[in-house]
Amino acid sequence: MIFPPHNKDCAIFEEKINDKFYALHRPSSVEVGGNYIWMAESADGVHWGNHHCLIKTRPGLWDSARVGAGASPIRTEQGWLEIYHGANEKNQYCLGAFLMDIDEPAKVLKRTTKPIMAPTEAYELSGFFGYVVFTNGHIVNGDELTIYYGAADEFVCGAKFSISEILSALS
């Protein structure tokens, strides 16, 4: 166990940066972590520290109630791209993206203001927990990004995206 209990959404970077491992995570306790995305670092991949808040919720937007990491960040020429989930006060989950500096991942460069994916299909809107798209995995093939996501907490689906189009949507 690399993080203490009551923690979720762990996404470990796929390579070391400046001889350190990095991970995104979310302390589950609102009092401790605020339903925000946090970052931690490790010299050995076992002992983690320097935890700090990286991405917060944004009042009035699609990710106003909670945010959490998805799969491992994707290395691009512009920086580390993270596809994350966000929810509003009605517990409607969408996917968005943010970009971190390639050498200093604790530095967020850009973030989408609109979701890159929102629940629209019947199987995303109705199920065990409706109005939900929630990712935990992906495959990168050049510019094509296949995101595997949960729909309504009942189905597992796949959707294809262009990495360059996601990067263009960042502001």
Side-chain angles (χ1 to χ4, degrees), residues 58-62 64-65 87-92:
R58 298 178 289 185
L61 293 178
W62 62 274
S64 59
N88 62 22
E89 291 79 11
K90 296 178 182 176
N91 292 314
Q92 297 167 329

Side-chain angles (χ1 to χ4, degrees), residues 145-166:
L145 173 64
T146 303
I147 293 178
Y148 295 98
Y149 70 97
D153 278 8
E154 192 165 327
F155 305 100
V156 177
C157 306
K160 293 191 184 295
F161 293 84
S162 161
I163 292 174
S164 59
E165 286 179 16
I166 294 172

